[in-house]
Amino acid sequence: MTTSARRWADGAAGEWTLAVLVVVATTIVSTWPLITSPWLVPNHQDPLFSSWRLYQWTRNLMSGGAGGLFGGNMFYPTPDVLLFSDAIVLPALLGAPFIALGVPVTLVYWVLIWIAYLTAGLAMYACARVISGSRWGALMAAVIFTGAPLRQDHVMHLELLYTAWMPLAVLATARILAGRGRSAWLLGTSLGAQFLCCIYFGIFLVTVWPLLAGIEWLRARPVLSRATLARVAVAIGLAGIVAGAYAVPYQRARKIVGDRDDAETSRYSATLSAYAVSPPSSLFWGWTGREDDAERRLFPGLLGASLAVTALATPAAPWTLALAATTVFAADASTGANGFTYPWLRRLAPPYRGLRVATRFGAVTLMGVALLAALGCARLARDLGQWRGARTAATVLLLLAVVECAASVSIRTLPHRAPSVYAMLAALPPTVIVHAPLPYPNTLPGAEANFLYFAQYHHHALLNGNSGFYPPSYLLMLERARQFPDDRALEALRNAGAEYLLVHEQYYPSREAFARVSVALEARHDVTALGTWSDDRGVVRVYRIVP
C-alpha cells in the first residue's frame, strides 16, 4: 500500500470510528434506560407482539413451513395470521438462527433494536457525507435521524426502527447520477429490503423516490450511459419482483380482513401542527405532547429543523430543491385525511388502502430534514471556515444535537424464565387455550399481547390474538363473550375450539372483579377447575372446558 493510500485508509477508519461513536451515544441517550438491559422493553404491547413474531417465524422456518409459512398460534383456527400485520421478514430472518439455538427471544429482540439504530444512523451518515460533502454535516444528520423525538415515538415498534434503507436508496441515487452505474444494485437492494423490513416504509420509499430522483436529475442533467440505465431498470425490476412476491400472500389475508376504512385512516391522521409535538419521553420537548397524542407526535428537533432551514438559503445547490420538495410532499402526506396527498394516494394506489397510520410518513420527512440539515451545515462551514472558533462551534452544536435527543423511556421488565402456569401448560399435549379477561371489540388490544408473548413457553394454539388487523371470527367471539362467564360466552369459547381457560388476576381492574369471575366459574358445571398457578405478576386460575 502506498503512503497516500495508507493515509486515506487511516483517515477513513478514523472518520467511521467517530461516526460509530456518535451514533452509539445518540442511541443510548435517546432510548435511555431501555438500551441498558436486554430484559427491558418499552411499556407497550407492541414489543411483546414483535417478540411473538420473531418466535413464530423461527417455529415456521424450523418446521419447513409445515403449518404454513405465514401461520401462527393466535386467532385459532385462522390461517396466515402473520399477514394481519407487518411480517418483518428481514429482521425475523436475522434473529431466527439464534432463537433456534436457544437464545432468549427478548435478548434477540434487544439486539435487533441495536441493529436498527446503528444501521439507520450509519446509513444516514454515509448518505449525508456524499450529499453534503461535509463530515460535520454528516454527523449532524446521523444524530438527527437516529435520535429525533419523532423517532422516539416509535421506540416500541420494531419494524418502524428499520429505516436504514431509505438513506441508502438516496445514496445509491446520488452515486448513479454521478456516473457510478454499479450503485444501481444498491438502489434495487434498498427498495426491496425496505419492504421486507417495514411495509409502510417500503411503500413510502417507492412513492417518493421518483420525485426525489427526478427533480435532482432535472437540476443536474447528467449524461447516463446505456449500461447504467440498463442496470437501474433491472435493479428496480428485481426490487419490484420482491415486493410483488411479498404482496401475493397479503392478498390472501386481505380477503379475510379487507381494507382500512376512511374513518380509521382519519383517526390516525394529523395536522402540520404535529411537527411541533414530541412524545412525553423526550426530556426537553416532552411537555409539548400528551399520552393520547400517540402516532401524532412528529417533532424532528429544534436544532435539526433550524439547520434544515439554513440549507434553503441556497436552493440551487445540489440536492437542496429535490430534498425540500420531497420533505414537503412527505409532510403533507403525513397529515393523512387532513391533507391533499394521502387521500389522492388512497384513491390511486391500492397498497395505501391497507395502511392505517398516515402519520408514519413522518419518517420520510425526518430523512429530508436530516439531509437538509447536513446541507445547512456544509453551507455554514463554507461561510465560517476562516473563523478560528468554527471547529469549536461545530463540536458544541453537535453535542447540543445529541443532548436534545435525551429521553426517558417508560419500560417494563420481562421474566427470564417461564412462569409456573406456562411451565405446566408446556407439559400438556397440543391443545387450544383461551386467556381471560378478553377485551371488548371496542377496547382492543387489552392484554392480548401478553398472552402472545408467553405462548413461546407452551407452544399451544390460542383463541386470543393481537395484530394490525383482526379476523371477523375473532371479533364475533369477543362480542359473544362480553358477559363472560355467562352461558353465551362459554358457548362461544367452546364452539371456537377452546379446551383450557386461564383467568389472570393481574389483568382485571380489581381483585373483586377477578373474585366475581372466579366464583361464577366455580358454580358452573361445564368447566372443571384444575388449580391455581402464577404468571409473571399474579394469580392464574386454570379450568378445563367440558366438551
Side-chain angles (χ1 to χ4, degrees):
M1 183 182 290
T2 64
T3 301
S4 60
R6 188 178 296 109
R7 287 177 179 173
W8 180 87
D10 291 343
E15 177 180 344
W16 277 98
T17 299
L18 178 59
V20 169
L21 291 175
V22 169
V23 171
V24 168
T26 306
T27 300
I28 293 172
V29 166
S30 64
T31 61
W32 189 267
L34 171 67
I35 215 69
T36 61
S37 169
W39 308 113
L40 299 177
V41 296
N43 191 19
H44 189 275
Q45 77 270 5
D46 213 73
L48 306 180
F49 174 57
S50 291
S51 296
W52 173 83
R53 286 184 287 183
L54 297 174
Y55 136 81
Q56 188 60 58
W57 263 112
T58 303
R59 287 191 70 192
N60 292 352
L61 293 171
M62 289 179 66
S63 69
L69 188 59
F70 296 99
N73 65 338
M74 67 173 177
F75 297 140
Y76 175 85
T78 308
D80 294 333
V81 292
L82 277 171
L83 300 173
F84 294 169
S85 66
D86 197 316
I88 58 168
V89 173
L90 198 50
L93 291 178
L94 289 175
F98 302 98
I99 296 173
L101 290 172
V103 178
V105 175
T106 308
L107 178 57
V108 173
Y109 174 84
W110 184 75
V111 171
L112 289 173
I113 289 178
W114 265 106
I115 291 173
Y117 273 91
L118 294 179
T119 54
L122 294 177
M124 176 53 73
Y125 178 82
C127 179
R129 184 73 174 86
V130 169
I131 293 291
S132 68
S134 167
R135 294 183 183 181
W136 174 45
L139 288 172
M140 191 68 74
V143 170
I144 294 166
F145 195 60
T146 303
L150 187 158
R151 186 177 177 88
Q152 292 172 16
D153 203 29
H154 296 294
V155 69
M156 73 290 289
H157 298 127
L158 181 62
E159 64 270 31
L160 298 184
L161 300 178
Y162 276 83
T163 54
W165 303 107
M166 292 196 287
L168 287 179
V170 179
L171 170 62
T173 305
R175 287 177 171 174
I176 292 168
L177 294 180
R180 300 175 64 177
R182 293 185 183 276
S183 292
W185 308 122
L186 175 60
L187 173 62
T189 300
S190 299
L191 294 174
Q194 188 62 79
F195 269 99
L196 298 180
C197 286
C198 177
I199 294 174
Y200 268 93
F201 294 159
I203 293 172
F204 294 167
L205 180 58
V206 168
T207 301
V208 302
W209 181 79
L211 175 67
L212 178 74
I215 293 176
E216 181 58 18
W217 179 82
L218 288 172
R219 185 205 64 79
R221 296 296 177 92
V223 178
L224 302 178
S225 67
R226 290 184 178 179
T228 296
L229 293 174
R231 287 192 187 104
V232 171
V234 171
I236 293 177
L238 291 174
I241 291 173
V242 170
Y246 194 31
V248 170
Y250 272 95
Q251 292 304 310
R252 297 200 305 266
R254 188 179 180 184
K255 293 178 181 178
I256 298 175
V257 296
D259 291 329
R260 302 289 186 187
D261 58 36
D262 292 339
E264 195 168 15
T265 303
S266 298
R267 192 180 313 127
Y268 289 97
S269 296
T271 62
L272 292 178
S273 63
Y275 283 94
V277 179
S278 292
S281 61
S282 173
L283 292 185
F284 288 92
W285 304 111
W287 55 271
T288 62
R290 302 170 303 178
E291 288 292 345
D292 58 358
D293 287 331
E295 300 278 8
R296 293 186 295 274
R297 299 180 287 228
L298 304 176
F299 187 47
L302 181 61
L303 190 55
S306 301
L307 289 170
V309 171
T310 303
L312 301 180
T314 53
W319 287 100
T320 303
L321 182 58
L323 287 169
T326 302
T327 303
V328 170
F329 177 92
D332 180 73
S334 68
T335 63
N338 299 320
F340 167 77
T341 305
Y342 205 81
W344 177 74
L345 290 171
R346 274 179 61 83
R347 286 195 298 270
L348 298 182
Y352 278 90
R353 297 170 202 157
L355 302 183
R356 174 175 53 177
V357 189
T359 55
R360 292 176 180 175
F361 238 116
V364 181
T365 308
L366 180 61
M367 179 181 72
V369 168
L371 289 172
L372 286 170
L375 293 173
C377 287
R379 180 176 181 274
L380 290 174
R382 289 192 299 270
D383 293 346
L384 304 175
Q386 302 304 315
W387 178 42
R388 290 184 178 181
R391 180 168 295 183
T392 300
T395 302
V396 170
L397 282 176
L398 184 62
L399 290 174
L400 287 176
V402 174
V403 170
E404 189 183 16
C405 296
S408 178
V409 178
S410 176
I411 57 172
R412 66 176 289 186
T413 303
L414 293 178
H416 297 196
R417 59 184 60 88
S420 63
V421 68
Y422 300 107
M424 179 277 294
L425 292 175
L428 297 175
T431 188
V432 181
I433 295 169
V434 61
H435 295 269
L438 288 161
Y440 298 143
N442 60 332
T443 62
L444 288 164
E448 301 291 82
N450 293 275
F451 307 140
L452 281 186
Y453 173 79
F454 288 107
Q456 66 178 291
Y457 294 119
H458 62 70
H459 306 308
H460 298 300
L462 302 178
L463 296 190
N464 307 81
N466 177 55
S467 194
F469 281 101
Y470 295 98
S473 59
Y474 169 75
L475 297 175
L476 179 60
M477 183 197 73
L478 294 184
E479 184 61 40
R480 290 176 174 172
R482 274 183 177 271
Q483 302 302 319
F484 177 85
D486 66 358
D487 291 343
R488 188 169 186 244
L490 266 295
E491 185 68 16
L493 302 184
R494 185 180 293 106
N495 289 341
E499 294 185 57
Y500 289 89
L501 166 65
L502 275 66
V503 183
H504 298 255
E505 179 186 32
Q506 67 162 304
Y507 302 118
Y508 278 89
S510 66
R511 288 185 176 180
E512 291 73 18
F514 172 73
R516 284 195 298 272
V517 169
S518 300
V519 169
L521 285 169
E522 297 290 341
R524 296 190 64 91
H525 300 292
D526 55 354
V527 296
T528 303
L530 300 182
T532 300
W533 282 265
S534 63
D535 59 10
D536 59 320
R537 297 185 187 180
V539 169
V540 184
R541 292 192 175 166
V542 181
Y543 301 87
R544 176 80 183 271
I545 299 177
V546 177

